[in-house]
Amino acid sequence: DGGITQSPKYLFRKEGQNVTLSCEQNLNHDAMYWYRQDPGQGLRLIYYSQIVNDFQKGDIAEGYSVSREKKESFPLTVTSAQKNPTAFYLCASKSAGESTDTQYFGPGTRLTVL
Amino acid sequence: AQSVTQLGSHVSVSEGALVLLRCNYSSSVPPYLFWYVQYPNQGLQLLLKYTTGATLVKGINGFEAEFKKSETSFHLTKPSAHMSDAAEYFCAVSYSGGYQKVTFGTGTKLQVIP
């Protein structure tokens, strides 16, 4: 079955540590996205990538970094510079052909900083 | 710049009653509009979308939405609520060209009372 996988589902981190969230898709999509979800704030865009080896900052990129070395993979690193990293993180992908195309979402990773 | 406003962070309806979730958008160019549903601790799933053509759009699970340009609205409706409709609903907007960016509203949690 085609889809998006995120791992792990739950992640605990100590303050001052970097942590990497995995996102893999087998939908052959060019565009991939990372969102952060906090209660009452909806989804806020962290980074997005339209093609391999290229990515752009979203609205809240500070304290995060990404890479896009393969079409299928778009890992997100939450660095120690991110002041309030506890949140639910969602990865999504879509065909880069048209803005009308649907975004497909992974099941999410819940990150808690202890 | 584009934005989406969802009126009412929480909506309660009785089982069998009409569901109406409100979404207004702001866009300087013709928008593409989406409704997504999210069940607890899961990713988002597309309910329906408006791109061009017919302004009344039918989606999955009996939901529909009407694009009203004069009111800059894209409200989501369902004639008869079911217990399984309890979830959080997000309205989103994108537009042709640009960076494939999708802007989400803050979400509306729907409670269905038996």
Side-chain angles (χ1 to χ4, degrees):
Chain A
D1 287 338
I4 302 177
T5 57
Q6 292 185 242
S7 61
K9 188 168 180 63
Y10 298 95
L11 188 56
F12 297 90
R13 188 195 91 176
K14 292 182 181 179
E15 280 194 30
Q17 288 181 336
N18 291 357
V19 64
T20 297
L21 282 60
S22 170
C23 177
E24 303 276 336
Q25 56 98 0
N26 61 4
L27 298 168
N28 199 33
H29 286 163
D30 289 302
M32 296 187 74
Y33 306 77
W34 274 106
Y35 293 93
R36 170 181 171 139
Q37 185 177 17
D38 297 280
Q41 297 195 50
L43 276 68
R44 292 182 291 168
L45 182 64
I46 304 173
Y47 269 97
Y48 62 105
S49 168
Q50 293 181 268
I51 197 169
V52 174
N53 293 322
D54 185 52
F55 47 82
Q56 290 79 40
K57 292 182 179 179
D59 301 318
I60 55 164
E62 185 176 351
Y64 299 97
S65 66
V66 293
S67 63
R68 187 83 188 278
E69 297 177 1
K70 299 187 299 183
K71 187 176 184 178
E72 303 80 22
S73 178
F74 191 41
L76 173 73
T77 297
V78 184
T79 75
S80 57
Q82 168 50 232
K83 291 183 170 56
N84 184 21
T86 295
F88 190 53
Y89 291 86
L90 287 162
C91 179
S93 72
K94 71 188 282 290
S95 167
E98 297 290 340
S99 295
T100 56
D101 290 338
T102 301
Q103 278 189 319
Y104 291 86
F105 285 81
T109 292
R110 187 166 297 280
L111 173 63
T112 302
V113 174
L114 303 173
Chain B
Q2 58 194 26
S3 66
V4 170
T5 301
Q6 290 185 242
L7 294 175
S9 59
H10 290 81
V11 170
S12 293
V13 301
S14 298
E15 191 175 16
L18 172 71
V19 176
L20 171 60
L21 304 182
R22 299 177 187 276
C23 172
N24 289 88
Y25 69 90
S26 173
S27 177
S28 58
V29 296
Y32 301 134
L33 295 157
F34 306 79
W35 274 102
Y36 286 85
V37 61
Q38 184 182 35
Y39 298 100
N41 293 312
Q42 294 186 25
L44 277 67
Q45 178 186 7
L46 181 73
L47 277 176
L48 49 80
K49 65 180 178 182
Y50 168 78
T51 56
T52 58
T55 56
L56 182 62
V57 181
K58 295 187 184 299
I60 62 172
N61 302 338
F63 285 93
E64 63 182 35
E66 186 170 12
F67 171 63
K68 292 187 176 180
K69 185 177 178 181
S70 61
E71 299 177 8
T72 61
S73 69
F74 190 58
H75 301 332
L76 182 70
T77 61
K78 182 174 180 178
S80 177
H82 192 273
M83 295 298 295
S84 60
D85 294 328
E88 190 159 18
Y89 294 80
F90 292 92
C91 185
V93 62
S94 70
Y95 60 94
S96 179
Y99 303 102
Q100 304 286 328
K101 184 178 175 183
V102 180
T103 301
F104 286 82
T106 53
T108 298
K109 279 190 178 174
L110 177 66
Q111 181 186 22
V112 181
I113 303 167

